[in-house]
Amino acid sequence: MGEWWSYTLSDFLLFSPRAYFRLLERHNQALWPAQLLTVGLGFTILGLLARPRPWQGRAVSALLAGLWVWVAWAFLWNRYATINWAVNYLVPLFVLEAGLLAWIGVVRRRLTFRLRHGAAGGLGVAVFALALLIYPVIGPLAGRPWSQAEIFGIVPDPTVVGTLGLLLLAEGRRRWELMAVPLLWCAISGATLWAMHSVERFPS
C-alpha cells in the first residue's frame, strides 16, 4: 500500500468520467422536453428581476425552492447515486436549501431581488447568465455531444451557480445564510471535475 501523500483526488473518484457524462446523457433523454420548461423558468426569473412586483421575492424564491427539490430527487437521488453512493449524503443539503428558500423567501417574505448598479449587481447578473446561457454550451465546446449538456433546473451545477447569482442580487442579511449550501456544492463539484480532469472544473 502506497503512502497517503501519494494519493490524488482521482484515486478517490467512485466512477469514470465516461460513466458520469453518459449518465448526463441518459438523464437529458429521459426528461426531454423538460429542459425547455426549466430554461423558460430561468427567463421568467429574469423578467421578474427586470420588472419587480410586490410578490416578486416570493415568486423567485418559490421557483428556486422547487428547482432544488426537483434536481435533488430527479438527478441526485434517482441517477447520480447509482454511480456515486456518497451523493446520498448530499441530497439532504439540497432539501435543506429548498426549505430555507421556501421559509425565508416565501413564508417570511424576507427576500427581495433587484437589478442594481455596483460590483455585486453586475456579478450577480453575469453569474446567472453563465448558469442559464453559457453552461449548456461548455460540454459541446469541449467536444461532447449536445445530449450531455448541463441545463439550469435539470442538473445541479448550473442550478446552484444560478442560485448564487440571484442571491448576489438579493437584498437583506438573510441572503448570506442561503449561500452556504451552494458554495459547499461548488467546492465538492469543482473537486470532482478536477479529479475527472474535466474542462468544466474552471466554471464550477
Side-chain angles (χ1 to χ4, degrees):
M1 182 176 179
E3 300 294 346
W4 63 268
W5 56 78
S6 66
Y7 288 92
T8 65
L9 279 176
S10 299
D11 295 316
F12 297 96
L13 199 63
L14 299 174
F15 50 88
S16 69
R18 182 177 181 180
Y20 177 76
F21 293 123
R22 177 58 180 157
L23 181 141
L24 282 178
E25 185 173 0
R26 292 199 306 268
H27 187 61
N28 278 327
Q29 290 172 346
L31 294 185
W32 178 260
Q35 291 85 347
L36 300 178
L37 173 61
T38 59
V39 171
L41 291 176
F43 280 103
T44 297
I45 290 173
L46 283 177
L48 290 171
L49 294 176
R51 295 187 175 183
R53 300 288 189 274
W55 42 265
Q56 178 243 50
R58 298 178 71 189
V60 173
S61 299
L63 289 173
L64 288 177
L67 290 175
W68 274 72
V69 170
W70 165 247
V71 169
W73 178 79
F75 184 79
L76 296 182
W77 182 262
N78 286 324
R79 292 202 183 271
Y80 198 11
T82 63
I83 64 171
N84 184 5
W85 57 264
V87 167
N88 290 315
Y89 298 99
L90 299 176
V91 171
L93 291 178
F94 270 65
V95 176
L96 172 63
E97 181 71 9
L100 289 174
L101 285 165
W103 175 250
I104 296 172
V106 181
V107 178
R108 300 290 303 278
R109 305 183 187 184
R110 297 290 180 87
L111 282 179
T112 302
F113 302 86
R114 292 283 186 271
L115 292 176
R116 57 180 185 271
H117 299 292
L123 181 60
V125 172
V127 170
F128 188 72
L130 167 69
L132 188 62
L133 302 174
I134 306 301
Y135 239 100
V137 304
I138 293 176
L141 288 176
R144 300 203 315 271
W146 280 99
S147 57
Q148 295 178 3
E150 297 184 70
I151 309 295
F152 174 79
I154 297 295
V155 294
D157 285 6
T159 307
V160 170
V161 171
T163 300
L164 281 173
L166 290 172
L167 290 175
L168 288 172
L169 298 172
E171 297 179 346
R173 181 179 61 85
R174 294 290 185 179
R175 67 174 178 161
W176 302 110
E177 300 174 11
L178 291 165
M179 287 186 178
V181 172
L183 288 173
L184 177 61
W185 175 264
C186 285
I188 293 171
S189 179
T192 301
L193 292 169
W194 186 277
M196 293 195 300
H197 305 290
S198 173
V199 68
E200 285 93 329
R201 64 193 182 196
F202 297 109
S204 294

